[in-house]
């Protein structure tokens, strides 16, 4: 190395972004591959939480058909049960899709696209999970309280979940901390 030359490489903190560096939304300077790797790890952590919940719910739902009271269910409750099980299965499929996609394309150099598709399936899975929970609650509450009360309670829970799961993200995206991005959207 020449005397007085810096040991720093282009793209490091001293020199700013290099040709292969892109500024991240969090102020990070990372390559496209580094960003895809980080986003993939974050996404997998999120999917693990959701998968655990849906697997427990689906396992519970699958056992309901084998309980002594199941034959006594009304046709309406049986239909709600069938819809709930199908929603649970669809949710499971959507939340497992990121792992399957990743396994099929590993080594093909398409991690950024993999992260995009995995993110889409995760969002679909969360929406399906919301529907599955609502349907399961409707089935259970119709057995415990009046049909009208069950509908109101399920509606309230779905509004609450929507407020918890989706509204904060919407608000943060709309009012993000990056003023340049906010100007671009207007």
């Amino acid at each position: 190395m020449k005397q007085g030359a810096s040991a720093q490489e282009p793209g490091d903190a001293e020199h700013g972004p290099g040709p292969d560096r892109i500024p991240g939304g969090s102020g990070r300077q990372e390559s496209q591959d580094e960003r895809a790797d980080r986003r993939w790890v974050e996404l997998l952590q999120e999917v693990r939480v959701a998968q655990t919940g849906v697997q427990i719910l689906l396992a519970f739902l699958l056992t309901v058909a084998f309980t002594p009271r199941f034959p006594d269910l009304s046709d309406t409750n049986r239909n709600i049960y069938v819809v709930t099980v199908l929603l649970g299965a669809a949710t499971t499929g959507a939340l497992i899709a990121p792992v399957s996609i990743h396994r099929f394309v590993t080594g093909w150099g398409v991690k950024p696209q993999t992260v995009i598709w995995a993110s889409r399936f995760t969002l679909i899975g969360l929406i399906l999970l919301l529907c599955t929970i609502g349907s399961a609650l409707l089935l259970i509450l119709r057995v415990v309280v009046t049909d009208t009360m069950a509908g109101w309670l399920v509606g309230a829970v779905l509004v609450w979940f929507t407020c918890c799961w989706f509204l904060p993200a919407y608000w943060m995206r709309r009012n993000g901390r990056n003023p340049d991005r906010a100007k671009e959207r207007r």
Side-chain angles (χ1 to χ4, degrees):
M1 180 165 56
K2 295 180 185 173
Q3 187 174 9
S6 171
Q8 304 284 335
E9 295 291 325
D12 63 22
E14 183 178 302
H15 292 93
D20 66 336
R21 299 298 219 199
I22 54 173
S26 62
R28 295 182 175 120
Q29 300 295 324
E30 51 192 3
S31 70
Q32 184 177 7
D33 288 340
E34 289 168 338
R35 182 173 188 219
D37 288 340
R38 176 182 54 80
R39 291 180 68 205
W40 178 252
V41 169
E42 291 171 357
L43 184 66
L44 280 183
Q45 293 300 332
E46 296 163 6
V47 168
R48 284 184 184 121
V49 171
Q51 276 180 342
T52 302
V54 79
Q55 287 170 342
I56 291 168
L57 179 58
L58 187 59
F60 162 75
L61 289 169
L62 292 173
T63 64
V64 168
F66 301 102
T67 62
R69 288 189 65 193
F70 187 77
D72 299 335
L73 287 179
S74 68
D75 288 341
T76 302
N77 284 344
R78 280 180 192 255
N79 290 337
I80 294 171
Y81 173 76
V82 168
V83 167
T84 305
V85 169
L86 292 174
L87 283 169
T91 303
T92 301
L95 292 175
I96 291 175
V99 176
S100 175
I101 293 168
H102 182 261
R103 187 52 31 220
F104 281 109
V105 299
T106 295
W108 286 82
V110 292
K111 184 163 277 176
Q113 296 89 339
T114 304
V115 171
I116 290 168
W117 277 101
S119 181
R120 289 174 182 161
F121 275 110
T122 302
L123 182 59
I124 290 167
L126 289 174
I127 292 167
L128 286 169
L129 179 57
L130 180 69
C131 296
T132 304
I133 291 170
S135 187
L137 280 173
L138 183 62
L139 176 64
I140 293 166
L141 291 175
R142 281 176 50 94
V143 173
V144 178
V145 299
T146 66
D147 293 352
T148 303
M149 179 60 77
W152 281 104
L153 291 172
V154 169
V157 169
L158 293 179
V159 167
W160 172 247
F161 276 31
T162 300
C163 290
C164 293
W165 292 4
F166 302 110
L167 287 183
Y170 172 77
W171 184 84
M172 285 186 278
R173 288 180 72 146
R174 184 160 163 62
N175 303 309
R177 67 181 185 150
N178 187 337
D180 295 332
R181 286 189 180 167
K183 287 177 188 172
E184 290 172 6
R185 283 192 299 271
R186 292 183 189 154

Short mmCIF file of all heavy atoms in Angstrom, two decimals, residues 9 32 34 40-41 45 47-48 54-55 81 102 143 146 167 181 186:
data_model
loop_
_atom_site.label_atom_id
_atom_site.label_comp_id
_atom_site.label_asym_id
_atom_site.label_seq_id
_atom_site.Cartn_x
_atom_site.Cartn_y
_atom_site.Cartn_z
N GLU A 9 -11.86 1.02 1.79
CA GLU A 9 -12.28 0.66 0.44
C GLU A 9 -13.46 1.53 0.03
O GLU A 9 -14.20 2.01 0.88
CB GLU A 9 -12.71 -0.81 0.40
CG GLU A 9 -11.60 -1.78 0.67
CD GLU A 9 -10.57 -1.81 -0.44
OE1 GLU A 9 -10.96 -1.65 -1.60
OE2 GLU A 9 -9.39 -2.00 -0.13
N GLN A 32 -26.68 -4.84 -2.85
CA GLN A 32 -27.99 -5.44 -3.09
C GLN A 32 -28.04 -6.84 -2.46
O GLN A 32 -29.05 -7.22 -1.87
CB GLN A 32 -28.26 -5.51 -4.59
CG GLN A 32 -29.64 -6.03 -4.91
CD GLN A 32 -29.94 -6.02 -6.40
OE1 GLN A 32 -29.07 -5.74 -7.22
NE2 GLN A 32 -31.16 -6.34 -6.75
N GLU A 34 -26.22 -7.92 0.16
CA GLU A 34 -26.26 -7.78 1.61
C GLU A 34 -27.66 -7.40 2.09
O GLU A 34 -28.15 -7.92 3.09
CB GLU A 34 -25.25 -6.72 2.07
CG GLU A 34 -23.81 -7.15 1.94
CD GLU A 34 -22.84 -5.99 2.13
OE1 GLU A 34 -23.22 -4.82 1.94
OE2 GLU A 34 -21.68 -6.29 2.45
N TRP A 40 -33.95 -11.21 4.09
CA TRP A 40 -34.35 -12.61 4.13
C TRP A 40 -34.36 -13.12 5.58
O TRP A 40 -35.31 -13.78 6.01
CB TRP A 40 -33.42 -13.46 3.27
CG TRP A 40 -33.77 -14.91 3.34
CD1 TRP A 40 -33.08 -15.90 3.96
CD2 TRP A 40 -34.92 -15.52 2.77
NE1 TRP A 40 -33.73 -17.09 3.82
CE2 TRP A 40 -34.87 -16.89 3.09
CE3 TRP A 40 -36.00 -15.05 2.02
CZ2 TRP A 40 -35.84 -17.79 2.70
CZ3 TRP A 40 -36.97 -15.95 1.62
CH2 TRP A 40 -36.89 -17.30 1.96
N VAL A 41 -33.30 -12.81 6.33
CA VAL A 41 -33.22 -13.26 7.73
C VAL A 41 -34.36 -12.64 8.54
O VAL A 41 -35.01 -13.33 9.34
CB VAL A 41 -31.84 -12.90 8.34
CG1 VAL A 41 -31.82 -13.11 9.83
CG2 VAL A 41 -30.75 -13.73 7.67
N GLN A 45 -37.61 -14.74 10.40
CA GLN A 45 -37.99 -14.60 11.81
C GLN A 45 -39.48 -14.29 11.93
O GLN A 45 -40.17 -14.84 12.80
CB GLN A 45 -37.16 -13.51 12.49
CG GLN A 45 -35.70 -13.83 12.63
CD GLN A 45 -35.45 -15.10 13.45
OE1 GLN A 45 -36.22 -15.47 14.31
NE2 GLN A 45 -34.36 -15.79 13.14
N VAL A 47 -41.86 -15.02 9.74
CA VAL A 47 -42.62 -16.19 9.29
C VAL A 47 -42.65 -17.25 10.39
O VAL A 47 -43.68 -17.90 10.60
CB VAL A 47 -42.06 -16.74 7.97
CG1 VAL A 47 -42.63 -18.10 7.64
CG2 VAL A 47 -42.33 -15.77 6.84
N ARG A 48 -41.55 -17.42 11.11
CA ARG A 48 -41.52 -18.43 12.18
C ARG A 48 -42.60 -18.16 13.22
O ARG A 48 -43.26 -19.08 13.70
CB ARG A 48 -40.15 -18.46 12.84
CG ARG A 48 -39.12 -19.16 12.03
CD ARG A 48 -37.79 -19.26 12.78
NE ARG A 48 -36.81 -19.84 11.91
CZ ARG A 48 -35.68 -19.26 11.55
NH1 ARG A 48 -35.38 -18.07 11.99
NH2 ARG A 48 -34.83 -19.88 10.75
N VAL A 54 -50.28 -20.47 13.36
CA VAL A 54 -51.22 -21.11 12.44
C VAL A 54 -51.15 -22.63 12.57
O VAL A 54 -52.18 -23.30 12.44
CB VAL A 54 -50.99 -20.65 10.99
CG1 VAL A 54 -49.83 -21.35 10.33
CG2 VAL A 54 -52.24 -20.88 10.16
N GLN A 55 -50.00 -23.18 12.88
CA GLN A 55 -49.91 -24.63 13.06
C GLN A 55 -50.69 -25.08 14.28
O GLN A 55 -51.38 -26.11 14.24
CB GLN A 55 -48.45 -25.06 13.17
CG GLN A 55 -47.72 -25.00 11.85
CD GLN A 55 -46.22 -25.20 11.99
OE1 GLN A 55 -45.66 -25.07 13.08
NE2 GLN A 55 -45.57 -25.50 10.88
N TYR A 81 -67.06 -24.50 9.80
CA TYR A 81 -65.91 -25.35 10.14
C TYR A 81 -65.10 -25.69 8.88
O TYR A 81 -63.87 -25.57 8.87
CB TYR A 81 -66.38 -26.63 10.83
CG TYR A 81 -65.26 -27.62 11.05
CD1 TYR A 81 -64.33 -27.43 12.06
CD2 TYR A 81 -65.12 -28.73 10.21
CE1 TYR A 81 -63.28 -28.32 12.25
CE2 TYR A 81 -64.08 -29.63 10.40
CZ TYR A 81 -63.17 -29.42 11.41
OH TYR A 81 -62.13 -30.30 11.58
N HIS A 102 -37.40 -20.48 -1.58
CA HIS A 102 -35.97 -20.34 -1.31
C HIS A 102 -35.23 -21.64 -1.63
O HIS A 102 -34.16 -21.63 -2.24
CB HIS A 102 -35.74 -19.94 0.15
CG HIS A 102 -34.30 -19.74 0.48
ND1 HIS A 102 -33.55 -20.70 1.12
CD2 HIS A 102 -33.47 -18.68 0.25
CE1 HIS A 102 -32.31 -20.24 1.29
NE2 HIS A 102 -32.24 -19.03 0.76
N VAL A 143 -71.38 -21.34 19.20
CA VAL A 143 -71.77 -22.42 20.11
C VAL A 143 -72.00 -21.87 21.52
O VAL A 143 -72.80 -22.40 22.27
CB VAL A 143 -70.68 -23.52 20.12
CG1 VAL A 143 -70.95 -24.59 21.17
CG2 VAL A 143 -70.56 -24.15 18.73
N THR A 146 -75.25 -16.11 21.40
CA THR A 146 -76.19 -16.02 20.27
C THR A 146 -75.43 -15.71 18.99
O THR A 146 -74.32 -15.15 19.02
CB THR A 146 -77.23 -14.91 20.52
OG1 THR A 146 -76.57 -13.65 20.52
CG2 THR A 146 -77.99 -15.13 21.82
N LEU A 167 -52.58 -1.27 10.51
CA LEU A 167 -52.61 0.19 10.59
C LEU A 167 -51.27 0.82 10.99
O LEU A 167 -50.88 1.83 10.40
CB LEU A 167 -53.73 0.66 11.51
CG LEU A 167 -55.15 0.51 10.94
CD1 LEU A 167 -56.18 1.07 11.91
CD2 LEU A 167 -55.28 1.15 9.57
N ARG A 181 -38.54 10.47 0.42
CA ARG A 181 -39.54 9.50 -0.03
C ARG A 181 -40.94 10.05 0.15
O ARG A 181 -41.81 9.80 -0.66
CB ARG A 181 -39.40 8.19 0.73
CG ARG A 181 -38.22 7.39 0.29
CD ARG A 181 -38.25 6.01 0.90
NE ARG A 181 -37.09 5.26 0.45
CZ ARG A 181 -36.72 4.13 0.99
NH1 ARG A 181 -37.40 3.62 1.98
NH2 ARG A 181 -35.66 3.50 0.55
N ARG A 186 -46.01 12.35 -2.90
CA ARG A 186 -47.02 13.41 -3.01
C ARG A 186 -47.20 13.88 -4.42
O ARG A 186 -46.59 13.73 -5.32
CB ARG A 186 -46.65 14.60 -2.13
CG ARG A 186 -46.76 14.18 -0.67
CD ARG A 186 -46.46 15.36 0.20
NE ARG A 186 -46.38 14.87 1.57
CZ ARG A 186 -45.67 15.46 2.49
NH1 ARG A 186 -45.00 16.55 2.25
NH2 ARG A 186 -45.66 14.98 3.71
#
